[in-house]
Amino acid sequence: MLDHLTLHVKDIDRSITFYKQALAPLGYIVKAHHEPTLGFGVDDGTLHSDFYVSPIDGPEAEASPVTPVTPVTHIAFLADSQQAVQAFHAAALAAGGRDNGAPGPRPYHPGYYSAFVLDPDGNNIEAVVDWAHSNE
């Protein structure tokens, strides 16, 4: 079982702004303040954060024309409805994300409904309705 994950980003301020807006429709808020790292979690009255955004440190923070830093991370956040997926997509685009798959059903499994957005670092961020509880 996964407890939390940390996404390392090039521009922490830009990413914090992006994720605050993009994850709000999914019920996520900033809960942990370990400056400059911030932890996000569902607004459930607890201190638990399951998603952290932290700056890249060290040599991997430096990109060059020969060896650019290219994020290859895919993270899927659980949404409670198709409307929440749609709101996530709209909020993420308004926050500066790039469309990587408009809200809609996917052929992966029956009942799978999601949207994809590339964050400021090019990470593929998804919101998905919990298809695992379908009767299929």
Side-chain angles (χ1 to χ4, degrees):
M1 186 175 293
L2 189 66
D3 180 68
H4 67 275
L5 62 90
T6 301
L7 182 65
H8 290 95
V9 299
K10 291 183 246 177
D11 183 332
I12 190 67
D13 294 328
R14 180 180 69 176
S15 292
I16 293 297
T17 298
F18 172 81
Y19 281 106
K20 280 182 179 177
Q21 293 177 37
L23 297 181
L26 304 180
Y28 271 69
I29 61 170
V30 174
K31 296 173 84 171
H33 297 265
H34 308 295
E35 302 296 338
T37 298
L38 291 184
F40 292 82
V42 176
D43 189 4
D44 61 2
T46 72
L47 296 176
H48 183 258
S49 297
D50 56 15
F51 175 66
Y52 290 83
V53 178
S54 185
I56 295 173
D57 292 323
E60 57 275 356
E62 299 300 321
S64 74
V66 177
T67 57
V69 175
T70 305
V72 293
T73 302
H74 171 229
I75 301 171
F77 290 92
L78 184 62
D80 62 5
S81 67
Q82 290 182 3
Q83 292 78 17
V85 170
Q86 295 161 6
F88 155 81
H89 189 258
L93 293 178
R98 291 177 288 142
D99 180 43
N100 199 33
R106 303 287 184 242
Y108 312 137
H109 306 283
Y112 198 108
Y113 186 94
S114 68
F116 299 88
V117 177
L118 299 177
D119 77 357
D121 287 293
N123 294 298
N124 188 29
I125 310 302
E126 176 184 12
V128 59
V129 173
D130 184 7
W131 53 270
H133 294 101
S134 71
N135 293 328
E136 304 295 317

